[in-house]
Amino acid sequence: MAATEGLALSIRGVSKVFPTPEGGEVRALDDVSLEVADGSFMVLLGPSGCGKTTLLRCIAGLEAPDSGQIDLKGTRIDDVPVWKRRVNTVFQSYALFPHMTVAQNIAFGLQMDKLPKDEVARKVDQSLALVRLSDLGGRRPHQLSGGQQQRVALARALAKEPEVLLLDEPLSALDLKLRRGMQLELKRLQQETHITFILVTHDQDEAMSMGDEVAVFNEGRIVQVGAPRDVYLRPRTSFVADFIGEANLLALIPGAAGAEVAGWGAIPADAWASDSPAADASRSVAAVRPEDVVISADPQGRFPIVDATFIGGDLHAVVQVGEATISARQPAASAAGLTTGGRCELTFRPGSVRIVDA
C-alpha cells in the first residue's frame, strides 16, 4: 500500500478482546481508526479502562490486535516484531537500569544496535544536551530527582531516533509543579526533534495544553478527534462535553417548541451555536459550559443559589433550576450580590449552547 503523504501512523479498524477470569471477555478496542500526522503531538485521552493504553501497546508491538491494520509511514507494522519497529516507548515507571549510570542507560539501546563506539558516544552527548542533563551523565538513577529520571528515560528513547515516540502516562508519578514543568519540556522536545509524539493520559488539562490533536476514548472507541480548542468548544457527545472540562448537560423537554429546559423555559434563539441550532436536535440533550452561564443577583429572581464560592478571581455558583442544578463561573468583579442562599436570574451567552448526542 502506498504511503499516505504527511501521515506518521494510519490505524484502521483495530480491535482487541481480552478474556476475563470468569470466562467472559472485555472488548478493549472496538474497530478503532485514527490518523496521526507526521511530526505532530497526538494525545490519547480518556478514563481508566477506555482502551487508550491498549492502542499504544498495539502500536509498540507489546499487544497484537485481533483485527485491523497499523501502518507506520505507509508500511504495515502490526505483524512486525517489536524490536524491528521504528517506535520507542517511555513508560510511567521510567524503567531505568539502577546499576548503570545515566550515560550508560542512554547508550544501552544504541549498543544493542551495534553502533560504533564513537557514534554511541556522540548520540549520548546529544541526547543529554537535548534534555539539559549534560553534567549528570555519571550519576546513577537513585541520585536523581523524579523529574531528572523522567528526562533520562526520554533521552534514552530519543537517542535511537524513532519515527514515533510513545508516552504511556509518563508524568503521572510527578507532583503538580514538576508535572507542569515537564509538560513544557515535552512540548519543547517534540518541537525541536520534529518526532511524532503520541501521549496517553487521563488528565484533561494535560491533554488540552500539550496536544496538537486530541483523540477522546470511551469504552474502547474513539468518540471524537480534533484540536484541543475544537474538542472543548464543539463536543459532539454528552460524554465529551462532560469529560473535557466541565459542562452543564440540559435535559430538553421532548417535543417542546423552542427547545425548552424543564424549570427554566425556552432557550433563546441567539444562545444556540451557529452550527448547532435547536431545530437540528435529534437527541434531547444540550450542553453549555459554566463560563457561558450568566447569572445576576435578583432578590425576586426565579432561581435559588445553592452555593456561591470564590476561587481565585472567579465566582463558582450552583443554581437550582427545577429539579436540576446549573453551574456557572464568572469573574468576581461582576458577581456582586451573588451569595449562597440568595436568588438570581440566569441566561446564556450568545452562541454557547450546543446539541450533543446523549
Side-chain angles (χ1 to χ4, degrees):
M1 180 176 178
T4 303
E5 186 176 355
L7 287 183
L9 273 172
S10 177
I11 299 163
R12 297 190 299 282
V14 168
S15 294
K16 180 68 178 179
V17 176
F18 292 105
T20 65
E22 298 77 19
E25 62 180 33
V26 173
R27 186 165 289 275
L29 294 173
D30 188 2
D31 194 27
V32 169
S33 295
L34 179 67
E35 292 184 341
V36 182
D38 190 23
S40 68
F41 200 134
M42 170 66 76
V43 178
L44 310 183
L45 173 67
S48 297
C50 68
K52 56 189 186 298
T53 294
T54 300
L55 181 62
L56 199 79
R57 291 175 63 84
C58 287
I59 297 169
L62 303 174
E63 298 286 354
D66 296 325
S67 60
Q69 183 168 328
I70 302 173
D71 292 350
L72 174 66
K73 296 288 186 71
T75 300
R76 184 168 185 172
I77 63 167
D78 51 273
D79 55 357
V80 172
V82 59
W83 60 89
K84 291 186 177 181
R85 302 188 187 197
R86 293 282 296 159
V87 301
N88 265 6
T89 306
V90 177
F91 298 99
Q92 181 179 343
S93 63
Y94 311 152
L96 301 177
F97 299 116
H99 62 287
M100 293 183 180
T101 66
V102 166
Q104 288 169 342
N105 264 279
I106 297 171
F108 180 79
L110 302 172
Q111 292 166 342
M112 291 299 98
D113 289 342
K114 303 186 184 304
L115 296 182
K117 287 185 178 181
D118 57 344
E119 187 174 353
V120 170
R122 178 179 60 80
K123 288 196 172 189
V124 168
D125 289 343
Q126 287 179 340
S127 299
L128 284 171
L130 188 64
V131 297
R132 300 172 180 172
L133 292 177
S134 293
D135 56 341
L136 301 182
R139 294 192 184 182
R140 297 189 187 276
H142 74 274
Q143 298 173 312
L144 304 176
S145 68
Q148 289 170 333
Q149 290 181 41
Q150 179 60 274
R151 291 186 186 198
V152 175
L154 286 166
R156 183 175 61 184
L158 291 169
K160 296 191 69 173
E161 299 178 357
E163 298 283 1
V164 175
L165 181 65
L166 307 174
L167 302 140
D168 188 8
E169 303 211 43
L171 309 183
S172 60
L174 305 179
D175 62 57
L176 180 60
K177 185 175 181 180
L178 188 54
R179 187 161 69 246
R180 286 178 175 168
M182 282 304 301
Q183 289 171 3
L184 295 175
E185 191 73 3
L186 279 174
K187 289 182 69 173
R188 179 187 68 82
L189 288 170
Q190 194 278 322
Q191 291 166 357
E192 287 188 10
T193 61
H194 304 290
I195 292 173
T196 303
F197 279 26
I198 301 179
L199 169 73
V200 162
T201 183
H202 63 271
D203 186 311
Q204 299 94 325
D205 291 339
E206 187 167 281
M208 302 299 279
S209 66
M210 297 179 69
D212 297 322
E213 283 200 305
V214 176
V216 185
F217 280 70
N218 186 32
E219 298 181 342
R221 288 178 171 269
I222 295 177
V223 292
Q224 188 166 345
V225 181
R229 177 181 174 84
D230 288 338
V231 173
Y232 181 81
L233 293 177
R234 299 176 181 85
R236 296 175 188 165
T237 68
S238 57
F239 172 82
V240 174
D242 193 46
F243 186 76
I244 296 183
E246 184 182 357
N248 294 292
L249 300 176
L250 310 177
L252 306 180
I253 300 174
E260 294 185 12
V261 178
W264 193 79
I267 296 176
D270 70 345
W272 291 101
S274 60
D275 59 343
S276 181
D280 288 349
S282 59
R283 304 292 180 100
S284 58
V285 179
V288 60
R289 299 290 184 186
E291 61 268 27
D292 292 320
V293 179
V294 181
I295 60 175
S296 54
D298 184 346
Q300 307 303 317
R302 292 181 293 163
F303 309 116
I305 301 173
V306 177
D307 182 70
T309 304
F310 285 94
I311 301 177
D314 290 341
L315 172 78
H316 292 228
V318 178
V319 179
Q320 190 74 42
V321 177
E323 297 182 359
T325 58
I326 290 180
S327 297
R329 185 166 63 243
Q330 62 190 70
S334 61
L338 296 171
T339 59
T340 302
R343 301 191 72 84
C344 69
E345 287 294 334
L346 64 83
T347 187
F348 307 113
R349 298 188 189 281
S352 64
V353 182
R354 178 174 296 277
I355 289 289
V356 294
D357 289 335

